[in-house]
Amino acid sequence: MDPDPQAGVQVGMRVVRGVDWKWGQQDGGEGGVGTVVELGRHGSPSTPERTVVVQWDRGTRTNYRAGYQGAHDLLLYDNAQIGVRHPNIICDCCKKHGLRGMRWKCRVCFDYDLCTQCYMLDRHDLAHAFERYETAHSRPVTLSPRQGLPRIPLRGIFQGAKVVRGPDWEWGSQDGGEGKPGRVVDIRGWDVETGRSVASVTWADGTTNVYRVGHKGKVDLKCVGEAAGGFYYKEHLPRLGKPAELRRRVSADGQPFQHGDKVKCLLDTDILREMQEGHGGHSLRDPPQFLGKTGTVVKVFRDGNLRVVVGGQPWTFSPSCLVAYRPEEDANLDVAERARENKSAGARNRAPVGGGRRQTQGRREPFVGANIPP
Ligand SMILES: [Zn+2]
Ligand SMILES: [Zn+2]
């Protein structure tokens, strides 16, 4: 099982054109936003593995390379739609708790984080380099300072956009009939489950309802009058299809282990001996009994060292000597948590989001103007 289900490509992610783009204006021009609506499958003639189908806000729908033959046609702009969040992190600019989507952490200031919107809106010192965390579990990627880098304006289904019913529409005549326009009044998340994944739209008759723009990989709307959606630094967005590397779990204060964590010491005896001698400690003639065994963190010291009980005996370690025991435990908890949320959200659904299933297979293939295979 993939240890971090949110690190891979998923339907619902919001994307923009990327480094290997060669598909003209299918996105409506650079800065146009789309939604990943289908993932490539092994053996599929139209959508092979490492490709994705994107529904552009402007209405075009076709497939792109997300690692296919080493090419990356797309950049990940936002992953809040698939439920990515950083539970203990606050955006130090807009003050939102449990930051959603990618997290941007200043490498100069102590404990300073921004959300994607604030980062792209040039909040905080532009000369400070940041690191990007794609998910709560991914290893940070260090970026150059934003100062002087090109910034691309985003366009698409954002607040103020004029929209008509789109490809996944299944809400009868709420819009007043096919082709009748409405106005996006807000982009927001769906309960606690997903972020920036639905649009509130007011129709000609004055009624307002919410529609999926990324939620569960569905797109109920098509943009006929784009709205500005802020900006992005294309050099700072991850390539779609290049999953972020995982890291050890790190708490808000930067400590990789917490009280109660199960850990293992996997250091080689020679290194251990050197470390101990360096500390003026006793020499180790025999391999210590904790080597390779699982222990439990019982105390985190101020200097970052840890007291770990192994086989009933306490030892003090530098965190660099330890690895987490069964790191996949984390991912499983996540999945269980999400499953629970999905369940409870289902019971609370009061608007069209998450409605019934439809047969769309026939309409979707073949793609008009499919890019892949050539
Ligand atoms: Zn923010
Ligand atoms: Zn800073």
Side-chain angles (χ1 to χ4, degrees):
M1 186 190 141
D2 187 344
D4 184 359
Q6 295 180 329
V9 180
Q10 284 196 38
V11 294
M13 285 175 159
R14 299 278 280 160
V15 295
V16 292
R17 67 163 70 175
V19 284
D20 297 316
W21 179 267
K22 53 167 184 177
W23 313 110
Q25 305 291 304
Q26 287 178 352
D27 55 352
E30 184 162 32
V33 184
T35 305
V36 175
V37 293
E38 200 179 320
L39 303 182
R41 295 174 306 275
H42 181 70
S44 162
S46 60
T47 316
E49 256 178 322
R50 295 179 166 275
T51 70
V52 295
V53 177
V54 172
Q55 174 69 48
W56 295 103
D57 286 10
R58 293 250 304 224
T60 312
R61 179 192 194 99
T62 185
N63 52 4
Y64 298 94
R65 299 167 297 174
Y68 184 74
Q69 296 177 339
H72 298 267
D73 288 327
L74 304 165
L75 297 173
L76 173 62
Y77 167 67
D78 199 359
N79 57 12
Q81 294 77 13
I82 66 162
V84 170
R85 62 167 181 258
H86 306 261
N88 300 316
I89 308 298
I90 300 167
C91 173
D92 286 293
C93 178
C94 68
K95 307 293 178 197
K96 282 195 189 101
H97 287 244
L99 195 150
R100 286 181 178 280
M102 287 179 276
R103 166 190 173 198
W104 310 77
K105 180 174 170 55
C106 185
R107 281 180 59 84
V108 179
C109 302
F110 175 73
D111 195 16
Y112 190 92
D113 295 277
L114 292 177
C115 68
T116 294
Q117 277 64 32
C118 292
Y119 183 77
M120 300 300 177
L121 281 172
D122 281 353
R123 304 297 189 238
H124 199 57
D125 193 329
L126 294 183
H128 286 190
F130 275 68
E131 46 194 22
R132 181 189 69 222
Y133 291 75
E134 213 173 305
T135 74
H137 305 290
S138 59
R139 202 185 285 267
V141 173
T142 300
L143 307 165
S144 55
R146 291 166 290 173
Q147 205 163 45
L149 290 181
R151 211 164 52 126
I152 313 291
L154 274 169
R155 291 170 293 104
I157 301 176
F158 295 106
Q159 192 177 342
K162 195 172 164 190
V163 292
V164 296
R165 68 168 70 172
D168 295 318
W169 181 268
E170 48 185 307
W171 318 114
S173 55
Q174 288 180 356
D175 54 353
E178 186 156 9
K180 291 279 173 15
R183 189 68 68 179
V184 174
V185 293
D186 189 25
I187 299 286
R188 58 182 184 84
W190 185 247
D191 287 350
V192 293
E193 209 182 326
T194 62
R196 298 186 284 275
S197 54
V198 299
S200 302
V201 177
T202 302
W203 302 104
D205 67 357
T207 59
T208 299
N209 227 322
V210 291
Y211 302 93
R212 302 166 296 184
V213 183
H215 185 79
K216 303 256 195 259
K218 299 293 183 191
V219 181
D220 288 327
L221 303 169
K222 183 175 118 179
C223 196
V224 292
E226 293 172 329
F231 298 87
Y232 65 95
Y233 286 101
K234 62 176 168 183
E235 287 160 59
H236 287 180
L237 293 179
R239 296 173 188 199
L240 192 79
K242 255 201 168 164
E245 279 183 72
L246 288 178
R247 60 181 173 136
R248 292 180 302 183
R249 191 172 69 197
V250 174
S251 63
D253 56 5
Q255 168 58 250
F257 300 108
Q258 294 159 17
H259 185 265
D261 277 359
K262 295 269 189 283
V263 293
K264 251 184 182 180
C265 179
L266 295 176
L267 279 188
D268 173 303
T269 318
D270 286 341
I271 298 175
L272 265 178
R273 186 177 294 125
E274 265 174 42
M275 290 176 77
Q276 297 284 12
E277 284 167 359
H279 280 98
H282 49 273
S283 64
L284 295 163
R285 241 172 265 137
D286 302 312
Q289 57 162 7
F290 52 73
L291 211 58
K293 288 191 185 141
T294 304
T296 305
V297 177
V298 294
K299 188 172 170 70
V300 179
F301 295 105
R302 278 193 149 180
D303 60 4
N305 285 339
L306 303 160
R307 171 145 303 157
V308 179
V309 172
V310 186
Q313 192 176 338
W315 300 82
T316 301
F317 292 94
S318 151
S320 61
C321 302
L322 301 169
V323 295
Y325 175 66
R326 285 184 62 209
E328 72 274 14
E329 188 173 83
D330 230 12
N332 289 338
L333 280 177
D334 239 25
V335 170
E337 186 196 11
R338 272 155 34 117
R340 242 190 348 265
E341 282 179 4
N342 287 350
K343 242 186 185 165
S344 58
R348 283 200 304 278
N349 276 354
R350 59 200 176 270
V353 166
R357 285 176 72 89
R358 281 188 317 165
Q359 276 297 341
T360 49
Q361 208 57 23
R363 190 166 51 78
R364 279 192 188 163
E365 291 185 43
F367 301 111
V368 180
N371 295 327
I372 304 140

